[in-house]
Amino acid sequence: MSKNAKIAAGGAAAGLILLIWLPWWTVLLIILGVPAAVYLTLDPAQRRRLRRVSRKELGR
């Protein structure tokens, strides 16, 4: 298993555990809020690099 696959599997497992203990809307806020908060902590150069890499992976 690759490193990214392990991270994805861990995130899915954590999401399922949270869904059992918390209301669904709280889990949704966590799932959407954490990546958004991390993105906002990047400086502008890092954001540009991330967007450029994302576009290349999409085949644009």
Side-chain angles (χ1 to χ4, degrees):
M1 247 177 137
S2 70
K3 183 178 179 182
N4 287 339
K6 289 178 185 177
I7 292 171
L16 289 174
I17 291 170
L18 285 175
L19 194 55
I20 292 169
W21 284 334
L22 298 173
W24 67 271
W25 58 269
T26 308
V27 175
L28 184 65
L29 285 175
I30 293 170
I31 290 172
L32 296 177
V34 170
V38 170
Y39 180 78
L40 292 174
T41 61
L42 298 175
D43 63 68
Q46 290 171 324
R47 290 181 191 174
R48 279 192 301 273
R49 185 183 317 157
L50 182 62
R51 283 193 301 262
R52 187 174 57 238
V53 169
S54 298
R55 283 191 211 113
K56 285 182 182 177
E57 290 176 356
L58 291 174
R60 293 184 183 174

